[in-house]
Short mmCIF file of all heavy atoms in Angstrom, two decimals:
data_model
loop_
_atom_site.label_atom_id
_atom_site.label_comp_id
_atom_site.label_asym_id
_atom_site.label_seq_id
_atom_site.Cartn_x
_atom_site.Cartn_y
_atom_site.Cartn_z
N PRO T 51 12.93 -4.04 13.62
CA PRO T 51 13.74 -4.50 12.47
C PRO T 51 12.89 -5.06 11.33
O PRO T 51 13.35 -5.12 10.20
CB PRO T 51 14.61 -5.60 13.09
CG PRO T 51 14.72 -5.23 14.52
CD PRO T 51 13.39 -4.62 14.88
N PHE T 52 11.65 -5.43 11.61
CA PHE T 52 10.83 -6.04 10.58
C PHE T 52 9.63 -5.20 10.15
O PHE T 52 8.91 -5.58 9.24
CB PHE T 52 10.34 -7.41 11.06
CG PHE T 52 11.48 -8.35 11.35
CD1 PHE T 52 11.90 -8.57 12.64
CD2 PHE T 52 12.16 -8.96 10.31
CE1 PHE T 52 12.97 -9.41 12.91
CE2 PHE T 52 13.23 -9.79 10.56
CZ PHE T 52 13.64 -10.02 11.85
N LEU T 53 9.40 -4.05 10.79
CA LEU T 53 8.25 -3.22 10.46
C LEU T 53 8.64 -1.76 10.26
O LEU T 53 9.47 -1.23 10.99
CB LEU T 53 7.19 -3.31 11.57
CG LEU T 53 6.50 -4.65 11.76
CD1 LEU T 53 5.61 -4.61 12.99
CD2 LEU T 53 5.70 -5.03 10.53
N VAL T 54 7.99 -1.13 9.30
CA VAL T 54 8.14 0.30 9.03
C VAL T 54 6.78 0.95 9.27
O VAL T 54 5.76 0.45 8.80
CB VAL T 54 8.58 0.55 7.57
CG1 VAL T 54 8.58 2.03 7.25
CG2 VAL T 54 9.94 -0.04 7.31
N ARG T 55 6.79 2.04 10.01
CA ARG T 55 5.56 2.80 10.23
C ARG T 55 5.48 3.90 9.18
O ARG T 55 6.45 4.62 8.95
CB ARG T 55 5.57 3.42 11.63
CG ARG T 55 4.35 4.26 11.90
CD ARG T 55 4.45 4.91 13.23
NE ARG T 55 3.45 5.94 13.33
CZ ARG T 55 2.89 6.31 14.45
NH1 ARG T 55 3.24 5.73 15.58
NH2 ARG T 55 1.99 7.26 14.46
N ARG T 56 4.31 4.03 8.57
CA ARG T 56 4.08 5.07 7.56
C ARG T 56 2.93 5.96 8.02
O ARG T 56 1.93 5.47 8.52
CB ARG T 56 3.76 4.44 6.22
CG ARG T 56 4.86 3.54 5.71
CD ARG T 56 4.57 3.02 4.31
NE ARG T 56 5.40 1.91 3.94
CZ ARG T 56 6.66 1.97 3.52
NH1 ARG T 56 7.25 3.15 3.43
NH2 ARG T 56 7.33 0.89 3.21
N ASP T 57 3.12 7.26 7.87
CA ASP T 57 2.10 8.25 8.24
C ASP T 57 1.85 9.15 7.04
O ASP T 57 2.79 9.55 6.35
CB ASP T 57 2.58 9.13 9.40
CG ASP T 57 2.83 8.35 10.66
OD1 ASP T 57 1.93 7.61 11.08
OD2 ASP T 57 3.93 8.48 11.23
N LEU T 58 0.59 9.47 6.81
CA LEU T 58 0.20 10.39 5.75
C LEU T 58 -0.75 11.42 6.33
O LEU T 58 -1.68 11.07 7.06
CB LEU T 58 -0.51 9.63 4.61
CG LEU T 58 -1.10 10.50 3.51
CD1 LEU T 58 0.01 11.16 2.69
CD2 LEU T 58 -2.02 9.71 2.62
N THR T 59 -0.48 12.68 6.05
CA THR T 59 -1.37 13.78 6.44
C THR T 59 -1.63 14.61 5.20
O THR T 59 -0.74 14.82 4.38
CB THR T 59 -0.70 14.66 7.52
OG1 THR T 59 -0.33 13.83 8.62
CG2 THR T 59 -1.65 15.74 8.01
N GLY T 60 -2.86 15.09 5.08
CA GLY T 60 -3.20 15.92 3.93
C GLY T 60 -4.36 16.84 4.24
O GLY T 60 -4.99 16.75 5.30
N GLN T 61 -4.62 17.74 3.32
CA GLN T 61 -5.72 18.69 3.42
C GLN T 61 -6.76 18.36 2.36
O GLN T 61 -6.41 17.99 1.24
CB GLN T 61 -5.24 20.12 3.20
CG GLN T 61 -4.41 20.69 4.32
CD GLN T 61 -5.22 20.93 5.56
OE1 GLN T 61 -4.92 20.36 6.59
NE2 GLN T 61 -6.24 21.73 5.49
N LEU T 62 -8.00 18.55 2.71
CA LEU T 62 -9.10 18.44 1.77
C LEU T 62 -9.87 19.75 1.83
O LEU T 62 -10.45 20.09 2.86
CB LEU T 62 -10.02 17.27 2.13
CG LEU T 62 -11.31 17.15 1.34
CD1 LEU T 62 -11.02 16.94 -0.14
CD2 LEU T 62 -12.16 16.03 1.88
N THR T 63 -9.81 20.51 0.76
CA THR T 63 -10.54 21.78 0.68
C THR T 63 -11.86 21.53 -0.01
O THR T 63 -11.92 20.84 -1.04
CB THR T 63 -9.72 22.84 -0.07
OG1 THR T 63 -8.48 23.03 0.63
CG2 THR T 63 -10.45 24.17 -0.14
N VAL T 64 -12.92 22.10 0.54
CA VAL T 64 -14.27 21.97 0.00
C VAL T 64 -14.68 23.31 -0.59
O VAL T 64 -14.65 24.34 0.09
CB VAL T 64 -15.28 21.57 1.12
CG1 VAL T 64 -16.69 21.46 0.56
CG2 VAL T 64 -14.85 20.30 1.81
N PHE T 65 -15.01 23.29 -1.87
CA PHE T 65 -15.53 24.48 -2.55
C PHE T 65 -17.01 24.26 -2.81
O PHE T 65 -17.37 23.45 -3.66
CB PHE T 65 -14.82 24.72 -3.88
CG PHE T 65 -13.33 24.87 -3.78
CD1 PHE T 65 -12.49 23.89 -4.26
CD2 PHE T 65 -12.77 25.99 -3.21
CE1 PHE T 65 -11.12 24.02 -4.20
CE2 PHE T 65 -11.40 26.14 -3.13
CZ PHE T 65 -10.57 25.14 -3.62
N ASP T 66 -17.86 24.95 -2.06
CA ASP T 66 -19.30 24.77 -2.28
C ASP T 66 -19.77 25.73 -3.37
O ASP T 66 -19.04 26.64 -3.79
CB ASP T 66 -20.06 25.01 -0.97
CG ASP T 66 -21.48 24.48 -1.04
OD1 ASP T 66 -21.79 23.68 -1.94
OD2 ASP T 66 -22.29 24.87 -0.18
N GLN T 67 -21.00 25.53 -3.81
CA GLN T 67 -21.59 26.35 -4.87
C GLN T 67 -21.74 27.79 -4.42
O GLN T 67 -22.17 28.05 -3.30
CB GLN T 67 -22.96 25.77 -5.26
CG GLN T 67 -23.56 26.41 -6.49
CD GLN T 67 -22.72 26.14 -7.73
OE1 GLN T 67 -22.38 25.01 -8.02
NE2 GLN T 67 -22.39 27.19 -8.45
#
Side-chain angles (χ1 to χ4, degrees):
F52 299 101
L53 293 173
V54 174
R55 178 184 166 150
R56 301 185 196 280
D57 297 308
L58 174 69
T59 304
Q61 289 291 120
L62 172 62
T63 301
V64 179
F65 302 110
D66 196 16
Q67 189 64 51

